[in-house]
Amino acid sequence: MSKIVLIGAGSYAFGYATFRDLFAARTTLAGSTVVLVDINPQALQLMHRFAQRLNEAAGCPFTFTATTDRRAALPGADFVIISIAVRRNELWRLDFQIPLKHGVRHVLGENGGPGGLFHAMRNIPIILDIAHDIEELAPHAFVINFTNPEGRICQALHRYTDLKFVGLCHGIEMMRRVAGRLLDLPPQQIDPTAGGLNHFSWVLTLRHAETGADLYPAFRQAVRERGDAVAAEFGHTLSLSRYLMETFGYWPLPSDDHVGEYLPYAWEFCGLEGYPFDRVDRESAEFRQQVERWADGVEPVTPLLTAEMHERAIPIITAMLTNAHQYELSVNVPNRGYVANLPDDAIVEVPAVVDANGIHPIPIGALPEPIAALCRTQITIIDRVVEAGVHGDRHAALQALLLDPHITSARQAEAILDELLTAQRDYLPQFR
């Protein structure tokens, strides 16, 4: 029996996926207490009702409570899962549109480039406040972070706390689905070994999970022959990833738009349309209505109890509790030689094994030097971003921009920094 605290549980997507994984693991985790935390009382109340409906349908294996006060939730916590955002789409629009207005040709503006700088600076102070509460009230808890920009948030946790933590992202699962479709194999038969940075990781080997056969040759051919058609099925492009594989020798993950956040020429493949904010806002409103139907008993929740969502936080918790020696394809952790030619202080994304003693990253050797050079540029930027986010250091923020390959002039960098600092001043208290 464990105490699991979900911070950001009012998020319909995060809450829904985590609940599905919880109930898929209900035999192992039966008797556990799950505390839902969110600063939005209406969203929290809805997700609490939804969780209670699932719990009743499953025979009440868990005890669910909810609070807007995280300090009340944390004492005695064994695991804390964090997924937060500050006015996500509203401020993300500014992160994308203001640099675009100043001539920055970027493709997403979420985790890299000027937009990634401001996204990180908004979230880092909040995450560190949460982390310091955990250090005080639940110092032995294991922390699992989903908050983006993942690598920058984890760098701040590594540098400014003593917590045991891991950062998780389902990007490698996206790659497995695409590879499975291209190779006519179930995704679980695709066994990639990848390493690098979050949203900028590279598949070094690609094998059949059962036979060990090398799938890379067939994958390369399938990308050339059917890549565009398969990409259309998944609603995105593969043209940038294909170009990078042909040029650098290895497939990047998770997708063109995310990888493209770190490359100034990505717009040539992905366009400049950015994130589909209006469509996503409509879909989010529709999904909220669906959650309300489940929470109100209008629609049955029993079908939701049968399969996990593969977000990995709950499987990692169960692996720790059962000493499972479970293999994980991808975790974000401080480098300790796991990627031989990246700095030890960097946050890297590598495979790992999970057991009762925690998460044990698996060394993958050295990245090909041109790929390592691309990663090292981002690692240097991340250092400046974290210092700007923690200390409200305008010089560090400007340095992050001037180091960024998307920036083409000093005047452009200064104008973007000034305009976004003004537009988001209410969400960047460290700069006051």
Side-chain angles (χ1 to χ4, degrees):
M1 295 185 293
S2 296
K3 181 176 180 179
I4 303 169
V5 178
L6 308 183
I7 297 180
S11 162
Y12 315 126
F14 169 59
Y16 170 78
T18 307
F19 295 166
R20 293 284 301 269
D21 287 346
L22 270 170
F23 284 97
R26 60 188 179 275
T27 300
T28 303
L29 296 177
S32 295
T33 296
V34 183
V35 186
L36 311 182
V37 181
D38 204 284
I39 61 172
N40 182 329
Q42 291 77 29
L44 179 64
Q45 192 266 346
L46 171 59
M47 296 308 290
H48 189 202
R49 288 194 293 117
F50 177 37
Q52 295 286 40
R53 287 272 298 144
L54 289 163
N55 205 34
E56 292 166 5
C60 296
F62 302 115
T63 298
F64 281 95
T65 64
T67 179
T68 57
D69 180 1
R70 68 171 180 263
R71 288 183 61 85
L74 287 171
D78 299 293
F79 301 95
V80 181
I81 307 175
I82 307 172
S83 181
I84 65 162
V86 181
R87 297 187 176 275
R88 183 174 187 267
N89 284 3
E90 173 190 338
L91 297 178
W92 185 359
R93 284 179 189 263
L94 298 177
D95 291 340
F96 182 75
Q97 292 170 352
I98 289 175
L100 189 67
K101 181 183 75 173
H102 289 284
V104 172
R105 293 181 289 192
H106 59 169
V107 298
L108 202 57
E110 182 190 18
N111 297 310
L117 166 65
F118 276 81
H119 189 188
M121 292 195 302
R122 290 194 302 272
N123 283 343
I124 284 172
I126 302 170
I127 290 291
L128 290 182
D129 282 347
I130 294 169
H132 295 322
D133 283 348
I134 298 170
E135 287 181 310
E136 176 188 349
L137 300 169
H140 301 296
F142 189 84
V143 177
I144 300 173
N145 179 67
F146 284 102
T147 303
N148 278 324
E150 182 74 72
R152 301 170 184 212
I153 296 299
C154 288
Q155 188 70 63
L157 287 170
H158 173 49
R159 189 171 293 177
Y160 287 102
T161 79
D162 293 320
L163 293 175
K164 298 173 292 183
F165 74 90
V166 69
L168 297 182
C169 174
H170 58 222
I172 201 162
E173 294 295 340
M174 296 166 58
M175 184 273 166
R176 292 176 89 194
R177 291 195 294 272
V178 170
R181 183 67 186 86
L182 284 164
L183 296 171
D184 296 318
L185 290 170
Q188 60 268 27
Q189 295 299 322
I190 307 295
D191 181 17
T193 299
L197 310 181
N198 180 243
H199 287 180
F200 204 46
S201 189
W202 301 78
V203 179
L204 303 178
T205 66
L206 191 65
R207 300 193 177 277
H208 193 286
E210 293 182 357
T211 68
D214 184 3
L215 298 177
Y216 238 137
F219 176 74
R220 295 177 195 274
Q221 181 177 348
V223 169
R224 287 191 293 267
E225 294 177 353
R226 298 194 293 125
D228 290 341
V230 170
E233 293 179 23
F234 285 87
H236 56 75
T237 68
L238 296 177
S239 55
L240 174 62
S241 298
R242 179 168 64 236
Y243 179 78
L244 292 172
M245 181 174 68
E246 292 171 351
T247 307
F248 289 92
Y250 298 91
W251 185 261
L253 60 88
S255 58
D256 276 14
D257 53 355
H258 284 305
V259 171
E261 291 204 78
Y262 307 103
L263 301 169
Y265 46 82
W267 66 274
E268 297 176 302
F269 301 87
C270 305
L272 294 170
E273 292 78 16
Y275 192 67
F277 295 105
D278 293 336
R279 175 173 62 80
V280 171
D281 285 343
R282 288 194 303 271
E283 291 172 352
S284 295
E286 292 169 359
F287 188 64
R288 177 193 168 93
Q289 293 172 357
Q290 176 62 66
V291 172
E292 288 173 341
R293 290 193 291 272
W294 284 322
D296 293 339
V298 176
E299 293 188 19
V301 297
T302 304
L304 306 179
L305 301 175
T306 57
E308 64 180 0
M309 296 293 289
H310 304 291
E311 291 288 355
R312 307 317 303 159
I314 300 304
I316 283 174
I317 289 173
T318 59
M320 288 184 176
L321 293 174
T322 61
N323 197 29
H325 295 84
Q326 176 174 288
Y327 180 68
E328 289 292 330
L329 290 168
S330 174
V331 297
N332 286 270
V333 293
N335 195 22
R336 291 291 181 266
Y338 310 128
V339 183
N341 52 348
L342 295 184
D344 277 353
D345 188 53
I347 299 296
V348 294
E349 193 166 83
V350 292
V353 172
V354 185
D355 63 20
N357 292 315
I359 292 180
H360 309 283
I362 298 172
I364 62 165
L367 294 171
E369 186 52 34
I371 291 173
L374 290 172
C375 291
R376 283 194 290 267
T377 295
Q378 293 303 318
I379 289 167
T380 303
I381 294 170
I382 288 168
D383 169 75
R384 298 291 82 204
V385 171
V386 169
E387 293 309 295
V390 171
H391 301 294
D393 186 335
R394 187 184 186 280
H395 289 292
L398 182 58
Q399 289 168 359
L401 289 175
L402 293 173
L403 286 163
D404 197 288
H406 289 89
I407 296 297
T408 57
S409 82
R411 288 182 180 178
Q412 179 190 56
E414 294 268 7
I416 290 168
L417 182 59
D418 288 341
E419 187 167 348
L420 278 170
L421 282 174
T422 299
Q424 300 186 15
R425 60 184 177 273
D426 291 342
Y427 309 102
L428 296 166
Q430 68 272 47
F431 284 90
R432 291 174 190 163

